[in-house]
Amino acid sequence: MKNNILLILLIAFCFKLSAQNSEVDSLLNVAAKANDSTKIEAYLDLAVAYRALEPDVALKYANNALKIAERNENYSGKASALHILGAIYTVLGDYEKATSNLLESLRNYELLGDSKGVANSSNSLGILYFNQEDYASAKSYYIKALSLIDSSEYAMSTAVYKLNIGEVYQATGENKEALELEKEAYKIFDQLGDVNGMAYALGIQGKIYHQQGNQDKAISLTKQALDYLIEDQDYLGAVEYLNFLVKLYLKTDDLLAAEENALTALEIARQINSLKWKIKSFENISKIFYQKGLYKTAYQYKDSAYIFENQLMDEEKQKQIANLRIIYESEQKEQENEILRIDKELKQKQISQQRILNVAIGSVLVVIIVFAIITFRAKNQKQKANNQLKIQNEEIRQQREEIETQAERLKNINTDVIRKNQLIEEKNKNITDSINYAKRIQTALLPFPQRIRKELEDFFIYYNPKDIVSGDFYWYSESGDKVVVAVADCTGHGIPGAFMSFIGHDMLNHIVNFKGVTKPAEILKQLKLSVIHILRQEQSDNRDGMDISLCIWDKKQNKVQFSGANHSLIYIQNKQLRQIKGNKTTMGLDEGKNIKDFDTHEINLVGDTSFYLFSDGYVDQFGGEQDKKFMIKNFRELLSTIHMKKMETQGIIIRETIEDWMGDREQVDDMLVWGFRIFN
């Protein structure tokens, strides 16, 4: 019976996909032939159609609609385009741009006096803030949306907004208010015959009763919600509430019912190919068998969850990188198109003005020739020539005025050139703002000093990117008696290096924090394999990667372990400086150096010991009187001189030293030095 239901779902989906393709073709035909007003509607419908599956295409159509609306001063179309752009940027994960477009859409609807539009934009902002767990802002916008509509005219919207507000109350534990709103929403959905709305109103009520400890009521409501979801063929919602039902049965120790529903959830997740719900279903089945005492079977299902979780991480990482590229390339393409348009207009104006100028010059030459002929005949026709001369003088005056007019027009061309340069500067600023936003994301990923200081009392970090964003990054974690620190130098700098730094940061989190690996050589081995796998280097020409140095301080055994790839560790103990070099390979596919096992070096902590991890940007910086590299020899001598000072003071000296060395020369690479002292 279950397989038959799933087969019906897949057949319905195929018909829906075929109809959607046909609708897209129809909208493209309309957009090609229609007037501007209809084009705006067609492009917005296309943007909505492509929003989830191909956001880059959706972005193009929404921007087309926005340009046409602005050109025609169609403020209603502009508000709709901004609203849809906000939804697309939400899909792309750029919440800053999503918020900006939705707020501008809201302002335009308010200026138009379109209360329904204001309500829709407010609801979308509420959803955006809810997804970011900013429940106070989400509730504020949901309530605003509800207050703006006539419940008798817009019953469906009223039900949706009440459901959304109730979900916020449920998320914040305000169960009484949440239950009241969800019951009101259910009643409206029931009157309208909206099965899907009824399902989610019941489902949220089930969650509320679960929070209140009434598991029997929660189970009953969740079962009703599931019946409605299956009737509506919403199998994504069905698999979500099947897993919630498993949670409820585990709470009541009904393992038989829990297992039955968990296996059904897994079957549906496989049919609709949802990695997220496969993982959740495997985890629930693992819990069931663990409670049954079947530990081997429980471990097998838990292992399956891990496998799919790694696959999901790969897909999400590829999607994040693709989304960043879509946003960056879209803005770059928009700038290029604007510059090409201005260039075309200027060239057309220049050609037109040149033609007029040529005619004017030719006219003047003709006048001069005529004047010469008249002068030559003046001996015999003086009176006639004098009259003719007056006429020609007047013509010359008029031609001079025309030339002055052309000169004024050429001046206007110069003004257009200045405007073009201003526009280029503005577009460059927009791109710079986008990169600055990427910098904020990158900075947020770096460990906070307050967290590091809990374990490493005396440290400094000198971090100086060459561009706005950096290919160098530092990473920190603590687990039980072990503290892990790392410094990495990714391929390239700027945006390409930043992409790699995001991957490196997430992979270290996964390997150390999620999988619990705390041996430096094993961490680097798994990191290398992960980079090769994520970038598909064995099937492509991609050879991006990163060099890294990694230390683990074992507080219990009072020692530090080090492993590195194309990076060194410098440490100073008992006033003796030593340098340990890592393996000569990189994190990524490295032909001829396919190192599978990394060396581990152990340092026993005898007395206070200072450690220094660094990327090659510092020692490779050009400067000095002879414009040479700083070199590792000078770096070691500098550390030997200053290592007895406080780490914070050492960081200041390291920064001032390299700045003096550089002078007014350009920085050649990202720079990163991390020094810390472990007290015995």
Side-chain angles (χ1 to χ4, degrees):
M1 179 62 181
K2 294 172 189 171
N3 287 332
N4 290 338
I5 292 172
L6 292 171
L7 181 61
I8 292 169
L9 171 67
L10 292 173
I11 293 171
F13 178 75
C14 290
F15 279 121
K16 181 178 179 181
L17 188 61
S18 175
Q20 187 178 20
N21 290 336
S22 175
E23 184 180 353
V24 166
D25 291 339
S26 175
L27 287 169
L28 285 170
N29 290 332
V30 169
K33 301 174 184 177
N35 58 37
D36 281 353
S37 179
T38 308
K39 274 185 179 179
I40 293 171
E41 294 178 8
Y43 280 138
L44 292 179
D45 287 341
L46 285 164
V48 171
Y50 280 107
R51 180 178 61 191
L53 297 177
E54 296 183 63
D56 52 335
V57 179
L59 207 58
K60 180 185 74 173
Y61 287 128
N63 278 317
N64 286 347
L66 181 60
K67 287 177 184 176
I68 296 170
E70 288 178 336
R71 186 174 68 231
N72 290 276
E73 297 184 354
N74 184 336
Y75 297 109
S76 177
K78 179 181 178 181
S80 298
L82 289 166
H83 189 178
I84 292 170
L85 276 170
I88 296 168
Y89 280 119
T90 300
V91 172
L92 289 169
D94 191 338
Y95 292 142
E96 185 173 336
K97 278 193 171 62
T99 305
S100 173
N101 280 278
L102 287 172
L103 285 172
E104 193 173 348
S105 168
L106 184 66
R107 284 192 292 269
N108 276 270
Y109 279 128
E110 286 174 341
L111 289 171
L112 291 167
D114 185 347
S115 59
K116 186 65 170 67
V118 174
N120 285 337
S121 292
S122 297
N123 185 61
S124 295
L125 281 162
I127 294 170
L128 183 62
Y129 284 117
F130 185 85
N131 290 338
Q132 297 175 76
E133 298 183 0
D134 183 352
Y135 298 126
S137 299
K139 182 171 71 173
S140 173
Y141 279 107
Y142 283 150
I143 291 173
K144 179 177 181 178
L146 182 62
S147 68
L148 287 167
I149 59 169
D150 184 346
S151 58
S152 61
E153 185 177 358
Y154 298 109
M156 179 62 74
S157 295
T158 301
V160 170
Y161 300 160
K162 286 189 174 185
L163 183 140
N164 289 345
I165 299 169
E167 190 172 21
V168 173
Y169 281 127
Q170 183 265 323
T172 55
E174 299 171 82
N175 291 321
K176 181 180 178 182
E177 295 85 350
L179 194 60
E180 183 179 344
L181 282 163
E182 294 304 329
K183 286 180 177 179
E184 291 175 8
Y186 175 81
K187 185 176 180 180
I188 299 171
F189 284 130
D190 189 20
Q191 291 170 352
L192 296 171
D194 187 327
V195 175
N196 194 264
M198 293 161 63
Y200 283 102
L202 289 171
I204 295 171
Q205 289 180 53
K207 292 179 181 179
I208 295 167
Y209 281 110
H210 166 63
Q211 288 176 337
Q212 292 178 334
N214 189 344
Q215 308 305 329
D216 291 338
K217 185 69 173 177
I219 290 170
S220 174
L221 289 167
T222 305
K223 282 183 174 180
Q224 291 180 57
L226 274 169
D227 290 340
Y228 284 132
L229 288 167
I230 292 171
E231 179 184 341
D232 195 51
Q233 295 185 351
D234 182 355
Y235 281 82
L236 198 59
V239 76
E240 175 187 352
Y241 277 98
L242 276 166
N243 278 290
F244 179 61
L245 195 57
V246 172
K247 180 179 180 179
L248 296 174
Y249 281 128
L250 284 172
K251 190 77 173 177
T252 58
D253 293 326
D254 190 345
L255 299 183
L256 183 63
E259 182 179 353
E260 180 182 351
N261 284 278
L263 291 171
T264 303
L266 178 59
E267 184 180 352
I268 295 175
R270 282 172 170 161
Q271 293 289 341
I272 62 176
N273 196 26
S274 170
L275 282 175
K276 172 185 173 182
W277 292 112
K278 284 181 189 177
I279 293 166
K280 186 63 179 176
S281 300
F282 276 123
E283 288 176 343
N284 279 337
I285 296 170
S286 175
K287 290 177 184 176
I288 293 165
F289 281 107
Y290 186 85
Q291 286 190 216
K292 285 183 175 182
L294 300 173
Y295 303 118
K296 183 177 179 181
T297 306
Y299 176 79
Q300 290 172 345
Y301 278 105
K302 188 69 174 177
D303 193 47
S304 296
Y306 283 147
I307 292 170
F308 282 110
E309 189 164 9
N310 285 331
Q311 185 179 343
L312 180 62
M313 282 186 64
D314 288 350
E315 290 187 3
E316 288 181 346
K317 181 56 62 183
Q318 292 295 330
K319 184 178 178 183
Q320 287 174 8
I321 293 172
N323 287 348
L324 279 170
R325 285 177 177 158
I326 287 168
I327 294 167
Y328 176 73
E329 289 170 3
S330 172
E331 291 178 348
Q332 194 174 46
K333 186 68 176 176
E334 186 177 345
Q335 178 188 3
E336 289 172 358
N337 289 339
E338 188 65 18
I339 291 171
L340 286 172
R341 183 187 67 78
I342 293 172
D343 280 340
K344 185 177 179 182
E345 288 181 1
L346 286 174
K347 285 177 181 177
Q348 288 174 345
K349 285 184 178 180
Q350 287 171 342
I351 291 169
S352 175
Q353 299 299 335
Q354 189 62 46
R355 285 175 180 169
I356 295 171
L357 191 59
N358 289 341
V359 170
I361 292 171
S363 299
V364 171
L365 289 173
V366 169
V367 170
I368 292 171
I369 292 169
V370 171
F371 179 73
I373 293 170
I374 292 172
T375 303
F376 182 74
R377 293 177 178 177
K379 292 179 181 179
N380 299 321
Q381 299 178 355
K382 184 177 181 181
Q383 185 62 42
K384 184 179 179 181
N386 286 336
N387 293 335
Q388 188 67 25
L389 183 60
K390 291 179 181 179
I391 295 171
Q392 297 305 323
N393 283 338
E394 179 62 24
E395 289 180 359
I396 290 171
R397 186 187 64 78
Q398 292 176 357
Q399 294 300 329
R400 186 183 295 113
E401 289 179 355
E402 278 193 40
I403 292 172
E404 290 174 354
T405 301
Q406 300 314 316
E408 183 64 27
R409 290 177 179 172
L410 288 174
K411 181 180 177 182
N412 291 335
I413 290 176
N414 289 332
T415 302
D416 285 341
V417 171
I418 293 170
R419 185 170 66 86
K420 170 192 170 185
N421 290 335
Q422 290 173 340
L423 180 62
I424 292 172
E425 289 177 4
E426 183 181 347
K427 291 299 180 181
N428 285 337
K429 180 181 180 299
N430 290 337
I431 291 176
T432 303
D433 288 345
S434 296
I435 298 174
N436 281 327
Y437 176 61
K439 178 186 178 181
R440 290 198 295 273
I441 296 173
Q442 188 175 46
T443 303
L445 291 175
L446 297 174
F448 293 114
Q450 296 90 333
R451 180 186 171 196
I452 299 172
R453 196 166 284 113
K454 289 179 181 178
E455 298 292 345
L456 302 176
E457 299 175 17
D458 194 15
F459 75 94
F460 75 84
I461 298 173
Y462 172 60
Y463 180 56
N464 186 19
K466 178 184 184 297
D467 302 308
I468 297 173
V469 289
S470 175
D472 288 4
F473 72 95
Y474 54 95
W475 188 86
Y476 171 87
S477 180
E478 69 277 343
S479 177
D481 293 324
K482 295 184 178 181
V483 176
V484 187
V485 297
V487 162
D489 181 356
C490 300
T491 303
H493 47 75
I495 292 176
F499 280 143
M500 283 302 303
S501 75
F502 293 154
I503 294 173
H505 181 276
D506 280 1
M507 287 301 98
L508 285 171
N509 273 339
H510 182 69
I511 294 165
V512 178
N513 296 334
F514 180 75
K515 298 177 73 174
V517 180
T518 55
K519 293 182 179 179
E522 182 62 24
I523 292 171
L524 295 194
K525 179 180 179 180
Q526 293 197 26
L527 180 60
K528 184 180 181 77
L529 292 173
S530 297
V531 171
I532 293 171
H533 173 64
I534 287 175
L535 299 182
R536 298 180 172 87
Q537 293 184 331
E538 292 177 333
Q539 295 86 33
S540 69
D541 295 331
N542 184 298
R543 291 298 177 266
D544 292 334
M546 66 191 76
D547 301 335
I548 187 169
S549 50
L550 189 142
C551 284
I552 296 181
W553 173 27
D554 189 329
K555 296 185 289 184
K556 189 174 182 181
Q557 297 187 26
N558 200 34
K559 65 182 180 181
V560 169
Q561 294 179 319
F562 166 76
S563 292
N566 284 337
H567 267 196
S568 299
L569 166 70
I570 292 176
Y571 73 97
I572 302 176
Q573 192 176 76
N574 296 327
K575 298 184 180 180
Q576 295 293 316
L577 183 146
R578 296 177 178 85
Q579 180 178 353
I580 303 175
K581 295 182 178 180
N583 295 94
K584 291 185 177 181
T585 185
T586 188
M587 296 293 102
L589 195 62
D590 195 2
E591 288 89 347
K593 300 178 183 177
N594 192 17
I595 295 175
K596 294 183 179 178
D597 296 313
F598 290 84
D599 297 329
T600 300
H601 307 270
E602 288 193 357
I603 302 161
N604 292 318
L605 299 175
V606 181
D608 298 344
T609 307
S610 299
F611 295 87
Y612 303 91
L613 305 177
F614 54 95
S615 66
D616 58 9
Y618 194 95
V619 297
D620 287 346
Q621 177 59 43
F622 284 90
E625 294 179 359
Q626 298 178 348
D627 195 23
K628 292 183 178 180
K629 290 184 178 180
F630 189 76
M631 304 298 289
I632 189 68
K633 178 184 176 183
N634 291 328
F635 185 56
R636 288 198 298 261
E637 290 176 357
L638 175 63
L639 295 179
S640 294
T641 304
I642 67 175
H643 79 278
M644 295 298 291
K645 301 179 185 295
K646 286 184 64 177
M647 280 290 171
E648 184 179 356
T649 304
Q650 292 184 47
I652 294 170
I653 295 171
I654 281 174
R655 173 177 58 79
E656 291 177 346
T657 300
I658 201 66
E659 287 176 354
D660 290 342
W661 177 260
M662 288 170 60
D664 57 359
R665 294 174 182 85
E666 182 181 356
Q667 184 174 335
V668 298
D669 198 0
D670 301 319
M671 296 185 193
L672 175 57
V673 182
W674 186 348
F676 60 92
R677 180 179 287 121
I678 298 178
F679 298 96
N680 186 22

